[in-house]
Amino acid sequence: MSTPPLFFFFFFLISFPLYSLQTALIAPLYKHHTSLLYSISLHLKTPLRPASLYLDLGGAFSWIHCYQNYNSSSYKFVLCNTPLSNSFNQAICGSCVQAPSPICANDTIFSYAYPENPSLRDHFVDYDHPKLTDSENVITDVLALSTTGGSTSAPLRRIPEFPFACVKTNFLREVAKNVIGLAALGRSNLSIPSVISAKFSSPKYFAICLSGARSGPGVAFFGSKGPYRFSPNVDLSKSLTYTPLLFNPVSASIYTYWLPSYEYYVGLSAIRINGKVVPFNTSLLSFEPIHGRGGAKISTSTNYALLRSSIYRAFATVFMKEAVVLNFKLINAVEPFGVCYEAKSVGVTAEGQAKAPVVDLVMEKEKVVWKLGGRNTMVRIKKKGVDAWCLGFINGGEFPRTPIVIGGLQMEDHLLQFDLENFRFGFSSSALKEGTSCSKFDFTSANNTFF
């Protein structure tokens, strides 16, 4: 495993003053049940106002819609030839075409490189005719998150001069209503976890616990190795299992393709269903050095796992054989799913989850196994007279850039920790088996004290 360039984490330590951070920073994570995507709830601007940003686990740089009704006394443009401006790749130092205004200033940084809609990733890219983003200036403003000792939320902590790309309305296509931007959590030095670590000299760790429940949000932790406690006093950090984070040598972005990817890849070596090995060509998971095809990544940009067609067909075949043993009754599939079963033929747990064949994601040649039960493999569909349980793994096409993408459904109710100091990925057993869930973090003590 190679060590990533220092570019990814430390370049702008010099541009951020250090503050003391005694506790972790946290934020609620919401699932939008129409788009099936996730957002993070935090505070922005001066005076501080609540904001909802799209959660992009593999994003390099956060962006915000600032062309309409953006009012804040603390926002600034990033001037040319400053330490922060020098940490950007492909940024352009320029001036306004028209007269300077609240959304444009002379001798400041324009970024056409970093902001992107995550839906553009994993598509084949024509590098000679790229579809350019429509970003403008880079700005900084105040971002604030709650603090925690590991089990409850506490006062808000301000993060001054947090960098964003200022984007136009078209960037908000395909994101949930009321979302005004994107929160990047990738391994870039400009992502939220890296900025927090640089500003507060805190451990280079963050963790997410996604909730699919309508009863409550999940939670993100920044700047702490743990504990991560959920009601009734269950510390999910104690059940973490670790595997190395791998580095795809080529970024999926058309703007920084010469750099290693900002996304998180793991060394998946096999898939088993009820102990039966899914037969597929594992060489597909090796990274192709020119365009970065290959690998298995973890992504919040898709709710369901995406499998290359050849892998999907093998996976579905083994799953269906195991489902026959459980007397699941196959019915016509409901899009976008390829395999569905009559709901009344599928047994359910006390929590209302399917009693389904167990899927093992095997890493490090049998040494590390991420087990997924029915909570993370099947989806209940009730619509237009259909009541079905469908396999939550989707055919991702014949030649996707990434053959295996582990999506949001697979992550829900598992605590996931990203250790950027030791370049490893930690995952807990299902929180449901631990007697809790990702929706059971206590946010009730949050208040309006700022510091």
Side-chain angles (χ1 to χ4, degrees):
M1 180 180 67
S2 61
T3 301
L6 289 180
F7 161 81
F8 286 101
F9 300 107
F10 306 119
F11 242 130
F12 72 26
L13 276 172
I14 57 174
S15 61
F16 285 139
L18 297 181
Y19 300 84
S20 173
L21 181 63
Q22 302 299 323
T23 56
L25 298 178
I26 60 166
L29 304 178
Y30 290 90
K31 181 176 181 177
H32 298 267
H33 291 274
T34 301
S35 68
L36 300 179
L37 298 175
Y38 305 89
S39 66
I40 184 169
S41 180
L42 37 72
H43 288 73
L44 296 173
K45 308 178 183 179
T46 300
L48 285 173
R49 277 157 271 182
S52 181
L53 304 181
Y54 176 92
L55 185 73
D56 185 9
L57 188 58
F61 188 34
S62 300
W63 49 259
I64 188 169
H65 178 230
C66 60
Y67 274 74
Q68 294 176 353
N69 303 318
Y70 191 89
N71 298 313
S72 173
S73 64
S74 54
Y75 92 90
K76 302 175 184 177
F77 295 107
V78 177
L79 298 176
C80 302
N81 300 315
T82 59
L84 179 56
S85 72
N86 293 334
S87 70
F88 283 78
N89 282 298
Q90 289 264 354
I92 300 170
C93 182
S95 298
C96 304
V97 176
Q98 299 176 344
S101 70
I103 59 173
C104 183
N106 291 330
D107 300 318
T108 56
I109 292 297
F110 290 71
S111 176
Y112 294 94
Y114 280 100
E116 63 178 359
N117 190 313
S119 64
L120 297 177
R121 288 202 293 267
D122 272 342
H123 291 229
F124 282 112
V125 174
D126 180 353
Y127 291 99
D128 295 323
H129 302 89
K131 181 180 179 181
L132 292 175
T133 62
D134 195 17
S135 61
E136 295 291 340
N137 280 93
V138 176
I139 66 169
T140 65
D141 209 337
V142 170
L143 180 148
L145 299 169
S146 293
T147 55
T148 182
S151 59
T152 60
S153 61
L156 290 168
R157 173 63 63 91
R158 296 176 187 268
I159 306 171
E161 298 183 344
F162 191 94
F164 294 94
C166 176
V167 303
K168 296 178 181 175
T169 306
N170 65 332
F171 263 72
L172 300 180
R173 292 196 300 262
E174 301 180 18
V175 300
K177 185 179 179 181
N178 299 325
V179 167
I180 64 167
L182 178 142
L185 304 188
R187 56 169 93 235
S188 159
N189 66 311
L190 294 167
S191 70
I192 288 178
S194 294
V195 171
I196 289 173
S197 295
K199 272 190 173 285
F200 296 107
S201 195
S202 61
K204 297 177 180 65
Y205 287 73
F206 75 94
I208 61 173
C209 202
L210 298 178
S211 171
R214 296 178 185 270
S215 58
V219 59
F221 302 85
F222 299 99
S224 172
K225 302 177 183 180
Y228 311 118
R229 291 194 181 94
F230 296 77
S231 178
N233 198 28
V234 177
D235 180 6
L236 291 179
S237 69
K238 292 183 177 179
S239 66
L240 288 172
T241 299
Y242 289 95
T243 188
L245 285 169
L246 303 186
F247 297 92
N248 187 330
V250 183
S251 171
S253 171
I254 60 177
Y255 309 102
T256 55
Y257 60 87
W258 70 93
L259 295 171
S261 174
Y262 302 114
E263 298 178 282
Y264 297 103
Y265 290 81
V266 292
L268 191 65
S269 61
I271 301 174
R272 297 191 301 244
I273 301 175
N274 278 355
K276 312 294 192 307
V277 175
V278 175
F280 68 93
N281 181 4
T282 56
S283 68
L284 294 172
L285 301 180
S286 298
F287 292 123
E288 188 271 329
I290 304 300
H291 299 294
R293 299 187 183 98
K297 75 176 181 181
I298 303 161
S299 174
T300 52
S301 296
T302 176
N303 187 245
Y304 308 117
L306 300 176
L307 306 179
R308 178 177 167 135
S309 293
S310 60
I311 300 174
Y312 173 80
R313 288 189 290 266
F315 182 95
T317 297
V318 176
F319 188 94
M320 287 189 289
K321 286 180 179 179
E322 294 305 305
V324 168
V325 178
L326 297 174
N327 297 314
F328 288 8
K329 183 178 178 181
L330 197 65
I331 61 173
N332 291 333
V334 180
E335 290 187 356
F337 307 103
V339 177
C340 293
Y341 297 94
E342 187 179 79
K344 64 182 180 181
S345 72
V346 178
V348 296
T349 66
E351 297 84 13
Q353 306 302 327
K355 294 181 179 179
V358 175
V359 175
D360 291 341
L361 303 179
V362 184
M363 303 172 200
E364 297 183 66
K365 299 181 179 179
E366 308 290 326
K367 293 181 180 179
V368 176
V369 178
W370 185 359
K371 288 187 174 294
L372 302 177
R375 166 71 183 90
N376 304 105
T377 62
M378 300 197 75
V379 184
R380 186 73 177 268
I381 301 296
K382 287 185 176 183
K383 63 179 182 180
K384 297 180 180 179
V386 174
D387 188 3
W389 281 99
C390 296
L391 179 60
F393 290 73
I394 305 297
N395 189 332
E398 293 291 343
F399 303 106
R401 185 178 190 274
T402 306
I404 297 177
V405 180
I406 300 168
L409 177 70
Q410 285 66 48
M411 296 185 242
E412 288 177 359
D413 286 317
H414 289 259
L415 179 79
L416 308 181
Q417 185 193 75
F418 297 82
D419 175 357
L420 304 182
E421 291 185 352
N422 301 296
F423 312 116
R424 61 181 185 165
F425 167 68
F427 55 91
S428 75
S429 56
S430 172
L432 302 180
K433 291 184 177 181
E434 302 289 334
T436 187
S437 72
C438 287
S439 65
K440 291 186 177 180
F441 184 84
D442 182 7
F443 288 99
T444 58
S445 63
N447 58 46
N448 293 323
T449 303
F450 309 138
F451 62 99

